[in-house]
Amino acid sequence: MTGLLLDTHTLLWWWLDDPRLSVLARRAIADPANPVFVSAASAWELATKHRLGKLGEADEAVGRFAELVSADGFEHLPITYYHCLTAGAYAVEHRDPFDRMLAAQSQLEKLVLLTRDPAFEHFGTRTLW
């Protein structure tokens, strides 16, 4: 059993059944033996990017976030001050606060991050794609 943390694009692509979601990621998410976590940072990122007009396809995801997470049997992962301190302390020159938070949560909660973003290599995050 491996705990998984979904990057925001992974979560959105799962919900949209987007072909950009890798076969390996899709199988890992669908495997009932793997607990799947969704960070509060993903709700924040979806809402922010949707407001900025960058994610027109995220209307339903933003409006029904909690309902959709629960419907898939995923677990909500709140942001704690431990996550914040770790995210802020990374020496990595990476300015995206959402990525920094997901890296910290993945590390502290010992979860594998499902992402296609190579930026997480710099954080030492365990990833799967």
Side-chain angles (χ1 to χ4, degrees):
M1 179 184 318
T2 301
L4 307 173
L5 177 60
L6 305 186
D7 195 350
T8 306
H9 67 270
T10 305
L11 176 64
L12 187 58
W13 292 350
W14 171 262
W15 283 339
L16 297 174
D17 197 25
D18 193 302
R20 292 177 288 183
L21 184 62
S22 76
V23 171
L24 190 57
R26 192 176 302 277
R27 284 185 188 148
I29 295 167
D31 185 342
N34 296 326
V36 177
F37 293 85
V38 176
S39 173
S42 289
W44 174 27
E45 184 173 15
L46 284 170
T48 299
K49 291 184 176 178
H50 185 262
R51 176 181 52 82
L52 295 172
K54 295 181 179 182
L55 285 178
E57 70 274 25
D59 284 337
E60 186 173 15
V62 171
R64 298 178 52 220
F65 186 84
E67 178 186 345
L68 294 171
V69 169
S70 295
D72 278 321
F74 301 159
E75 297 182 46
H76 291 278
L77 180 60
I79 295 172
T80 69
Y81 73 89
Y82 294 113
H83 299 141
C84 295
L85 291 172
T86 300
Y90 282 123
V92 175
E93 291 296 324
H94 189 73
R95 298 178 63 99
D96 186 322
F98 308 115
D99 287 355
R100 295 179 74 83
M101 182 55 65
L102 290 170
Q105 288 184 305
S106 176
Q107 175 191 344
L108 291 171
E109 305 301 329
K110 298 178 179 28
L111 301 170
V112 175
L113 183 65
L114 266 61
T115 184
R116 78 170 190 173
D117 188 342
F120 288 100
E121 294 171 16
H122 304 292
F123 293 99
T125 306
R126 291 185 312 149
T127 63
L128 177 70
W129 192 249

